[in-house]
């Protein structure tokens, strides 16, 4: 029996939709059931962080909290040049990127990590397991492939990227569960740090991966600061491989993201629970000064109207 061109077209459309849906599931399954990983600091020293249960918040230089958006996304990037304030950003079954606030413009991502590079362009991963690529978007909306991610440390196809950050020399860094990798300006990928699990690490509710590297930040000298969500610690790793634990939190609290400002390290931490209920995951922000002094500067209990 001969199939009409119309039926063949409908079948092709169905196959394409199923493929998109499958890719969306592969990228987002892991992010739907965990806490957010978004924190940034602007040039004035104001701290912005995402609470997966209530939205986007700002801590001003006087320590006052303001809720900027009810969007309960997972990742964030600060666009200091406001280049993407009027750009049509990705939206669809693989996830959405939205803009909030202005001067600086804040980009919030629902399903995958994002970063603004030294070149002022937006970077984000896309694609299904085994074919995840890093895209580069210009403020005009034009996109191109910066790199194809290699297999995971296990040798299996990489299912997703845990965290993304801009580095020196227009490089982009990203985290897997136990690795930090660097993508140079030409798209070459190299492993810059391997993290081993704590021998007797804490048990974090809802997390059974050890280590579990998530949000990271990289300074001008290539020193990496990373949140090990699985072992409840923030690590400082030099380009030479020297690793220092800046903070070890007590379960059920664990860090998910870090940001840098004039030598200070700001850490986003969440109270983790076994059940997948966003409003259970209470956030707090910690500040670690260069001398090692650690202070909690904001907690969910101080947020007016957060819930």
């Amino acid at each position: 029996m001969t199939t009409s061109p119309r039926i063949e077209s409908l079948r092709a459309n169905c196959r394409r939709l199923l493929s998109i849906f499958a890719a969306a599931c592969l990228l987002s399954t892991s992010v739907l059931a965990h806490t957010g990983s978004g924190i940034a600091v602007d040039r004035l020293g104001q701290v912005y962080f995402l609470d997966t249960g209530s939205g986007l918040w700002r801590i001003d230089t006087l320590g006052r909290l303001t809720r900027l958006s009810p969007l309960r996304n997972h990742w964030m990037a600060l666009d200091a040049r406001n280049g993407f304030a009027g750009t049509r950003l990705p939206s669809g079954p693989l996830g959405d990127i939205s803009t909030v606030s202005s001067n600086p413009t804040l980009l919030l991502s629902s399903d995958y990590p994002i970063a603004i590079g030294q070149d002022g362009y937006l970077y984000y991963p896309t694609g299904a397991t085994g074919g995840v690529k890093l895209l580069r978007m210009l403020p005009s909306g034009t996109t191109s492939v910066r790199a194809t991610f290699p297999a995971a440390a296990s040798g299996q196809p990489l299912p997703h990227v845990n965290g993304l950050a801009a580095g020196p020399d227009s490089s982009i860094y990203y985290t897997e569960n136990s690795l930090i990798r660097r993508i140079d300006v030409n798209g070459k990928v190299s492993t810059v740090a391997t993290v081993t699990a704590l021998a007797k690490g804490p048990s974090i509710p809802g997390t059974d991966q050890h280590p579990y590297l998530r949000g990271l930040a990289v300074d001008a000298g290539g020193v990496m600061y990373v949140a090990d969500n699985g072992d409840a610690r923030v690590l400082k790793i030099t380009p030479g491989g020297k690793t220092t634990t800046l903070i070890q939190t007590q379960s059920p609290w664990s860090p998910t993201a870090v940001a840098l400002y004039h030598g200070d390290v700001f850490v986003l931490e969440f109270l983790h629970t076994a059940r997948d209920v966003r409003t259970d995951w209470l956030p707090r922000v910690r500040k670690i000064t260069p001398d090692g002094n650690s202070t909690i500067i904001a907690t969910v209990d101080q947020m007016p109207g957060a819930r």
Side-chain angles (χ1 to χ4, degrees):
M1 177 181 289
T2 303
T3 304
S4 72
R6 178 178 176 80
I7 292 177
E8 285 296 336
S9 177
L10 288 172
R11 287 176 177 174
N13 286 336
C14 287
R15 287 194 294 268
R16 184 164 59 251
L17 288 172
L18 286 172
S19 175
I20 291 172
F21 178 76
C25 291
L26 288 167
L27 276 178
S28 62
T29 296
S30 64
V31 303
L32 291 176
H34 67 55
T35 51
S37 180
I39 188 169
V41 188
D42 68 15
R43 62 181 181 82
L44 301 177
Q46 299 184 112
V47 180
Y48 304 84
F49 67 95
L50 274 172
D51 172 15
T52 329
S54 68
L56 174 67
W57 293 85
R58 179 183 62 208
I59 309 169
D60 69 17
T61 55
L62 298 178
R64 296 173 301 198
L65 282 163
T66 304
R67 190 185 188 198
L68 300 180
S69 170
L71 282 177
R72 303 185 302 161
N73 286 2
H74 284 82
W75 287 276
M76 172 172 59
L78 187 150
D79 178 16
R81 305 177 190 176
N82 300 310
F84 290 87
T87 304
R88 184 174 181 179
L89 297 168
S91 178
L94 294 182
D96 303 316
I97 301 177
S98 306
T99 57
V100 174
S101 188
S102 60
N103 198 27
T105 297
L106 299 170
L107 306 181
L108 308 186
S109 175
S110 62
D111 287 71
Y112 43 79
I114 56 177
I116 298 290
Q118 283 188 335
D119 51 18
Y121 301 156
L122 172 64
Y123 291 88
Y124 59 96
T126 187
T129 298
V132 184
K133 301 180 185 299
L134 181 67
L135 291 191
R136 170 177 51 208
M137 174 178 276
L138 279 60
S140 64
T142 302
T143 61
S144 60
V145 175
R146 168 77 178 260
T148 298
F149 293 100
S154 64
Q156 298 299 312
L158 183 70
H160 55 261
V161 174
N162 294 347
L164 205 64
D169 301 320
S170 294
S171 60
I172 298 293
Y173 287 66
Y174 71 93
T175 54
E176 298 178 21
N177 290 341
S178 62
L179 298 181
I180 302 176
R181 299 196 199 245
R182 179 180 183 270
I183 303 173
D184 70 14
V185 70
N186 297 313
K188 180 182 177 180
V189 182
S190 59
T191 300
V192 290
T194 301
V195 175
T196 57
L198 286 176
K200 295 182 179 179
S203 177
I204 305 300
T207 301
D208 58 6
Q209 177 69 45
H210 305 276
Y212 179 26
L213 306 184
R214 294 192 60 197
L216 76 161
V218 185
D219 70 14
V223 177
M224 297 159 279
Y225 300 79
V226 62
D228 179 359
N229 192 196
D231 285 330
R233 56 184 174 165
V234 174
L235 302 176
K236 174 183 177 181
I237 307 173
T238 69
K242 180 182 178 181
T243 302
T244 305
T245 298
L246 295 186
I247 190 70
Q248 178 80 60
T249 60
Q250 297 297 313
S251 182
W253 290 95
S254 185
T256 65
V258 293
L260 307 177
Y261 180 74
H262 293 182
D264 294 329
V265 181
F266 291 87
V267 184
L268 176 61
E269 302 172 2
F270 279 91
L271 187 155
H272 288 68
T273 61
R275 65 177 193 164
D276 184 10
V277 179
R278 291 187 177 200
T279 51
D280 286 352
W281 305 331
L282 307 180
R284 68 185 185 189
V285 175
R286 182 189 302 271
K287 177 181 178 181
I288 305 173
T289 57
D291 61 5
N293 183 51
S294 174
T295 307
I296 301 297
I297 62 171
T299 68
V300 71
D301 293 334
Q302 299 171 353
M303 295 183 182
R307 303 292 168 181

